[in-house]
Amino acid sequence: MSMPPEHDRERVARIAADPRYIALVRDRQRFSWVLTAITVVVYSSFISFIAFDKPLMAQPMAGGTTSIAVVAGVAMLIGTVAICAIYVWRANGSYDARLAEVLADVRS
């Protein structure tokens, strides 16, 4: 693999050193970790309830045949899609605009 031209390396170094870019990376990582923590807590709780309180999770909902576990599982899947949508919404609304500002300044 060939090395990028010198001007590209300089541009990358200027971007990496830009305080706005550093703040952007920090904010994006923090937000990603928060969403990851939410996901891990929800999934771990679901598995823990199944492992340690089977009678609760096996109870039918509203006298029907669908158990609490099935409803909770579907809710988790919907929640996972929602978390992904929240990240994409924030990335498109905030992160992309902030990165575009940094790149515009570096190009000029």
Side-chain angles (χ1 to χ4, degrees):
M1 188 161 119
S2 63
M3 293 292 293
E6 186 63 33
H7 66 279
D8 284 347
R9 280 186 257 148
E10 291 172 11
R11 187 177 298 162
V12 169
R14 284 193 319 204
I15 292 169
D18 191 310
R20 294 172 300 169
Y21 180 75
I22 294 168
L24 169 65
V25 170
R26 185 189 63 239
D27 292 347
R28 190 180 63 203
Q29 285 178 340
R30 185 179 304 130
F31 187 63
S32 296
W33 279 113
V34 167
L35 295 180
T36 299
I38 291 168
T39 303
V40 168
V41 166
V42 169
Y43 274 79
S44 298
S45 299
F46 179 73
I47 296 300
S48 296
F49 273 115
I50 289 175
F52 300 113
D53 201 353
K54 286 183 180 74
L56 171 70
M57 297 302 277
Q59 288 182 0
M61 295 286 296
T65 58
T66 305
S67 70
I68 291 174
V70 171
V71 173
V74 170
M76 279 189 342
L77 292 173
I78 292 169
T80 301
V81 171
I83 284 175
C84 181
I86 289 167
Y87 180 82
V88 169
W89 174 75
R90 182 136 177 205
N92 290 341
S94 174
Y95 302 146
D96 289 351
R98 289 168 62 186
L99 181 59
E101 289 175 13
V102 171
L103 293 177
D105 289 348
V106 168
R107 285 186 187 124
S108 55

